[in-house]
Amino acid sequence: KIKDEFGADVGLLARMLPSISVLSPDFVPGFTRRISDAQSADIADTMNARSVCFTLLRFVRIVSNPSHPIMLFLDDLQWADDTALDIIHAFLSDKMGSCMFFVGTYRNNEVDIDHALFDFMERLEISNVPTTKVRLTGLSLEDLNTMISDALCLFPRICMSLSKIVFQKTKGNPFFVLEFMQSLQSRGLLYYDCRQKRWMWNEESIHAEDITDNVLHLLSSKMNGLSDD
């Protein structure tokens, strides 16, 4: 079906999507080998965004259907340029048979009000593309305590004091919570007591930890603790 659709252009598709050869060992003779970075650059130079979009859209129409849509997830859309967003919009607004489920994430503290991302979302609504917006915030103190309780295998009331400190330090950011808890364990501030057969912690030392709200600070501290090897 793909061969019938693309005909002589099947080689062009193979150069854009080298892994397409897994669909069939003899799918694209001569293009199953890995393409070098230099060759990829040459392809990009000879193809504009419109032709790339059109070629990929033809492929999506063939391999997707309502019962088997293509799932596309893109993180950090705050870094996407106009061209990338235009291509995504073309996929999602296509009315000629393509079926795609798209999930995109971005950091709202890294985009201005005139960022192309907001125009992209407005164009999706104008094109009648069903959209759902989900704003992810930090965990509440109760949810954080439930998570820590499950992780330490302790009753929620027992670890609430620890949870309050962790919440104060991390503002409930799930990633920061995980990194912070691991750092406490690695430095002996959170430890398993074999005699009492439960996790213990030093509240005063943890409370005195000089931890900023910036995850990069915690990660850089973690990297600085690595050996030269």
Side-chain angles (χ1 to χ4, degrees), residues 13-24 27 31-33:
L13 177 66
R15 284 187 287 178
M16 294 174 60
L17 302 174
S19 59
I20 197 176
S21 60
V22 300
L23 296 178
S24 174
F27 178 61
F31 289 102
T32 56
R33 58 183 176 80

Side-chain angles (χ1 to χ4, degrees), residues 80-205:
D81 59 16
D82 292 346
T83 301
L85 294 176
D86 286 343
I87 292 177
I88 298 173
H89 179 269
F91 287 161
L92 300 179
S93 61
D94 180 53
K95 305 295 184 182
M96 298 180 64
S98 63
C99 297
M100 176 177 289
F101 180 71
F102 174 73
V103 177
T105 67
Y106 70 96
R107 300 177 185 178
N108 57 6
N109 62 332
E110 296 186 13
V111 292
D112 298 325
I113 192 172
D114 58 347
H115 194 281
L117 190 57
F118 297 112
D119 178 64
F120 163 73
M121 290 188 285
E122 184 178 348
R123 286 189 291 137
L124 289 180
E125 294 180 357
I126 294 175
S127 302
N128 295 318
V129 177
T131 60
T132 300
K133 300 176 183 177
V134 179
R135 181 182 176 87
L136 299 181
T137 58
L139 298 171
S140 66
L141 174 59
E142 291 72 20
D143 291 337
L144 175 60
N145 188 48
T146 298
M147 186 177 76
I148 293 179
S149 171
D150 290 342
L152 303 183
C153 298
L154 295 172
F155 289 114
R157 59 181 174 79
I158 296 178
C159 55
M160 177 56 81
S161 59
L162 173 62
S163 298
K164 287 181 177 179
I165 299 175
V166 174
F167 183 78
Q168 178 187 2
K169 300 289 185 181
T170 65
K171 301 298 185 292
N173 183 302
F175 177 72
F176 202 5
V177 168
L178 178 60
E179 292 294 328
F180 185 53
M181 293 290 289
Q182 289 178 341
S183 71
L184 295 179
Q185 190 274 330
S186 65
R187 288 178 291 132
L189 299 179
L190 175 66
Y191 58 95
Y192 187 79
D193 191 314
C194 295
R195 300 182 66 179
Q196 298 191 43
K197 296 183 179 180
R198 53 158 287 189
W199 286 92
M200 305 288 291
W201 55 87
N202 188 322
E203 286 189 19
E204 292 185 1
S205 298

